Amino acid sequence: MAVLTPFAQAHRTRLLLVVIDLYAILITFMGGRLIAAAAAGAYYRSGRQLDARVQPRLEATVFMVLLLLAVSDLVRAPALVTSAIAIVAAGLSLARWLRWRLWTCLGSWSLSALGAGYLWLAVGLGLRALRQHPLWVLPTDALHGLTIGAIGALTLLVMGRTQAMTTGVRPERSHRLLLIAIFVNAATGLRLMAGLTRCLPRTYLLQAAVVAWSSACLVLVWFLLSLPEASRGQKHNGDAGSHDGHDIPNPT
């Protein structure tokens, strides 16, 4: 640590960009496969079939482009090079999102929320390219399309959704997960809007973004803490039998 600390301090900005690039690779894999499965299920329930699911070739291409972006940030490649790589990654991510045709599954808010999080990945990578050539948004503001929009939305929603499913709670029945999606997207929009202003409204927008982001995290903690209790209730009712003929209610 004594050897690494001076290096980390001297190259803090460069290492931060590399970490964000690597996290984007993880989000591409995790979010893409979860959304593909959820979208295929939604199509099946409506009597249709989704042909473009995981899209492994396109996914692998996005991986390689994002890895190239991370290497470019690590070696401090010219701004034109990193911008071009980020634009390509944004275009590929958008193409993958478009092939899922999630706008035809608007009846499932959970799927729509996950799709919005993945769309932020494409938007965030586009803003990541503009970071090198700030025209209307500051470099530090541009990164929030990725950190709050894509990474934040998909991380919080996937954590809540996965834990809910393991305890027998249907994500679609949970109003708290819907609140998390609303708060995260609101925080992203407010944070990017703050990047457009250079006067007093910027402070208010930043404060509102903080409130929205903190609310999303608090609601997630509230939701996760309620799940073990719900699981015990389901187990208790299951042991007692289902002779009453009523389904066990899922918590909201």
Side-chain angles (χ1 to χ4, degrees), residues 17-18 21-22 25 65-75:
L17 290 176
V18 173
D21 296 335
L22 295 178
I25 296 177
V65 174
L66 288 176
L67 186 59
L68 181 61
L69 180 61
V71 173
S72 300
D73 286 328
L74 185 62
V75 300

Side-chain angles (χ1 to χ4, degrees), residues 83-97:
S83 296
I85 297 174
I87 286 293
V88 172
L92 292 173
S93 299
L94 180 61
R96 190 185 189 194
W97 182 85

Side-chain angles (χ1 to χ4, degrees), residues 215-226:
S215 299
C217 295
L218 289 174
V219 173
L220 176 63
V221 172
W222 179 26
F223 175 72
L224 294 178
L225 290 177
S226 70

Side-chain angles (χ1 to χ4, degrees), residues 14 145 191:
R14 190 196 315 182
R191 187 62 183 83

